[in-house]
Amino acid sequence: MSIPLYQVDAFADEPFQGNPACVCLMDRQKPDSWLQSVASEMNLSETAFVWPTDELFHLRWFTPVAEVELCGHATLAASHVLWLAGRLDAKQAAVFQSLSGKLTARKIGDRIEMDFPSNRPVEVSAPDGMLESLGIVNPVFVGFGASDVVVQVESESIVKQLQPDFRALRNVDVRGVAVTAVSESREFDFVSRFFAPRFGIDEDPVTGSAHTMLAPYWSEILGKTELRAFQASTRGGCISVRVDGKRVFLGGHAKTIFSGALLV
């Protein structure tokens, strides 16, 4: 039996921007080894596996080498596909059960807004070797969230010019690192880049989960609850963020690149 498969550019205003994710629409759960094999075959930063149960959907995310507990761009892609494929009416919310609890996504015009738990980073000393592998000398702030580290630097130009030593960073005991600064453009409030070589992703194009840390952090610094963010990877991507207590709402667009069927 064939399994529908989609590739979607998430947090993308146009095709071939943002972060590509694979979405696999299943009718039931599959063994973990099979899920990991499919994700390795797709070879994207994340593959989302979705299957229905009762009144919601189960959702799991895999990189080419491991499962992760939260992925924003693949959740956006999965929601988009459920509406696209007619599994949900456009007026219905997409409700997922995941390793990060219940997650919800809704269509607001042509944009999708996701409801995630807030994950404000707590200031810590930088893990051994991390700053050296990033090429950062004097960080403004280093903080740890649930799985990742946030590093604020002095300027957007520093963020954009970073050339990390990914082999060295792979040996640092963190899932990923978000490097961020205030935006130099009036269009955005802050910019960032995200690196996760330990999970098979040297640089992630646009990282929704990182913004569950960045949103509350910058909200407090800038005194705003609604912000516009830009992830300054080669592909680039825009994320609207809204902070409401212990929840963070991440918004963006999704573009379907192709669809097909998995035959194994």
Side-chain angles (χ1 to χ4, degrees):
M1 182 180 295
S2 64
I3 299 173
L5 205 64
Y6 298 79
Q7 184 164 317
V8 176
D9 287 347
F11 297 117
D13 292 337
E14 300 290 340
F16 314 122
Q17 296 179 357
N19 200 349
C22 177
V23 179
C24 187
L25 286 186
M26 308 184 302
D27 59 2
R28 62 185 184 277
Q29 188 170 3
K30 296 278 192 177
D32 288 7
S33 59
W34 185 89
L35 302 179
Q36 186 62 72
S37 293
V38 172
S40 298
E41 185 81 6
M42 296 302 101
N43 200 33
L44 295 175
S45 62
E46 299 288 349
T47 297
F49 298 92
V50 186
W51 68 95
T53 175
D54 299 327
E55 296 181 355
L56 46 72
F57 293 88
H58 276 293
L59 176 60
R60 295 176 70 179
W61 311 275
F62 285 76
T63 77
V65 300
E67 184 174 15
V68 299
E69 294 187 358
L70 182 65
C71 178
H73 85 278
T75 303
L76 189 147
S79 306
H80 169 77
V81 166
L82 288 174
W83 289 308
L84 178 71
R87 302 292 179 94
L88 287 174
D89 182 88
K91 295 181 180 179
Q92 289 180 282
V95 183
F96 301 104
Q97 186 60 48
S98 76
L99 290 178
S100 291
K102 187 177 288 188
L103 306 174
T104 304
R106 293 180 172 83
K107 292 191 75 170
I108 302 177
D110 64 346
R111 188 168 57 90
I112 297 170
E113 185 178 75
M114 302 176 294
D115 179 354
F116 280 11
S118 178
N119 182 23
R120 191 191 185 287
V122 177
E123 189 166 12
V124 295
S125 298
D128 291 344
M130 187 189 75
L131 294 178
E132 293 83 355
S133 65
L134 291 168
I136 295 173
V137 179
N138 294 308
V140 176
F141 171 87
V142 177
F144 188 70
S147 303
D148 304 315
V149 175
V150 170
V151 180
Q152 183 191 348
V153 294
E154 291 182 351
S155 69
E156 178 177 329
S157 60
I158 293 175
V159 173
K160 290 183 174 180
Q161 292 169 13
L162 286 178
Q163 294 182 323
D165 180 342
F166 293 118
R167 180 174 295 182
L169 187 57
R170 198 172 292 121
N171 295 321
V172 179
D173 190 19
V174 295
R175 187 189 79 149
V177 183
V179 182
T180 187
V182 172
S183 175
E184 296 171 1
S185 165
R186 292 184 178 182
E187 186 178 357
F188 301 105
D189 294 289
F190 64 90
V191 300
S192 68
R193 290 171 67 190
F194 187 82
F195 311 106
R198 281 177 71 92
F199 275 70
I201 308 162
D202 284 350
E203 179 167 5
D204 198 31
V206 190
T207 315
S209 61
H211 286 76
T212 66
M213 301 185 300
L214 294 168
Y217 176 73
W218 283 112
S219 175
E220 186 172 314
I221 289 177
L222 300 177
K224 302 169 67 175
T225 58
E226 296 188 14
L227 305 98
R228 288 275 292 167
F230 180 71
Q231 192 153 330
S233 64
T234 301
R235 291 173 65 98
C238 306
I239 303 177
S240 61
V241 300
R242 179 166 60 89
V243 179
D244 187 358
K246 295 183 178 181
R247 308 299 295 182
V248 170
F249 296 85
L250 307 178
H253 297 96
K255 303 295 181 182
T256 306
I257 302 303
F258 65 79
S259 63
L262 190 62
L263 304 178
V264 296

